[in-house]
């Protein structure tokens, strides 16, 4: 049975929720990590969740670069996954559509199911309208490019006291 976007989103939702569970994190401050610090832990977590269907750092097409190639963070069975994190003290732009345009390009060029996962640990989350900005997809440059739809899932802290976590999901269709 093929892996679904829904099952990948559920796995990331469980991870995000767990990063705020005191019984799990104990003295570690995992919700203060940046993407580079969190990525190896996410890789191990996904290996445990999905097993041998997980492939990390897969070469992909990336228009607009010298080589024309980049790397997807993960492919889970047939689902391409790009992962981005915003630390509590980082500016909002860290997770913006503009900053993540290269991730969007890789997902648009992937022929299959694709997902952009955004973890926001800050106390100033994006609004649903700001997440809609991912619909303004970046230019792939000259040429006749085949583009695929992809999904965005945004996990954030709605309220600090009492702790309330939120999730926004969007399907980005290319016209």
């Amino acid at each position: 049975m093929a892996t679904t976007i829904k099952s990948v989103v559920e796995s990331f939702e469980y991870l995000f929720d767990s990063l705020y569970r005191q019984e799990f994190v104990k003295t570690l401050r995992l919700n203060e990590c940046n993407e580079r610090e969190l990525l190896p832990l996410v890789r191990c977590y996904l290996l445990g969740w999905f097993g041998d269907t997980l492939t990390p750092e897969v070469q992909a097409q990336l228009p607009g670069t010298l080589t024309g190639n980049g790397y997807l963070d993960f492919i889970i069975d047939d689902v391409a996954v790009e992962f981005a994190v915003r630390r509590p003290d980082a500016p909002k732009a860290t997770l913006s559509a503009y900053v993540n345009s290269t991730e969007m390009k890789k997902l648009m060029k992937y022929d299959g199911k694709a997902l952009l996962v955004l973890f926001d640990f800050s106390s100033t989350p994006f609004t649903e309208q700001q997440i809609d900005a991912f619909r303004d997809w970046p230019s792939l440059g000259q040429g006749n490019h085949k583009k695929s739809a992809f999904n965005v899932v945004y996990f954030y802290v709605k309220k600090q006291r009492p702790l309330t976590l939120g999730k926004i999901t969007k399907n980005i269709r290319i016209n």
Side-chain angles (χ1 to χ4, degrees), residues 22-38:
Q22 190 60 46
E23 317 84 61
F24 175 70
V25 294
K26 299 286 183 184
T27 59
L28 296 174
R29 291 187 169 142
L30 297 175
N31 59 352
E32 294 178 7
C33 294
N34 61 25
E35 181 179 347
R36 179 180 226 107
E37 296 163 341
L38 210 51

Side-chain angles (χ1 to χ4, degrees), residues 5 8 11 13 22 32 40 48-49 53 56 58 69 81 83 96 98 117 129 132 134 137 142 156 161 168:
I5 294 284
V8 175
S11 71
E13 184 170 17
Q22 190 60 46
E32 294 178 7
W49 190 286
T53 62
V58 178
N69 295 316
V81 178
F83 180 67
S96 69
Y98 177 76
V117 178
Q129 291 76 23
D132 277 336
F134 283 91
W137 44 276
Q142 291 182 345
Y156 64 101
R161 299 211 192 284
I168 297 173

Side-chain angles (χ1 to χ4, degrees), residues 126-154:
F126 282 82
T127 63
E128 191 151 349
Q129 291 76 23
Q130 289 170 314
I131 297 298
D132 277 336
F134 283 91
R135 295 188 191 283
D136 300 329
W137 44 276
S139 169
L140 296 177
Q142 291 182 345
N144 192 10
H145 296 277
K146 181 178 182 244
K147 299 177 261 310
S148 299
F150 65 95
N151 295 278
V152 174
V153 63
Y154 172 68

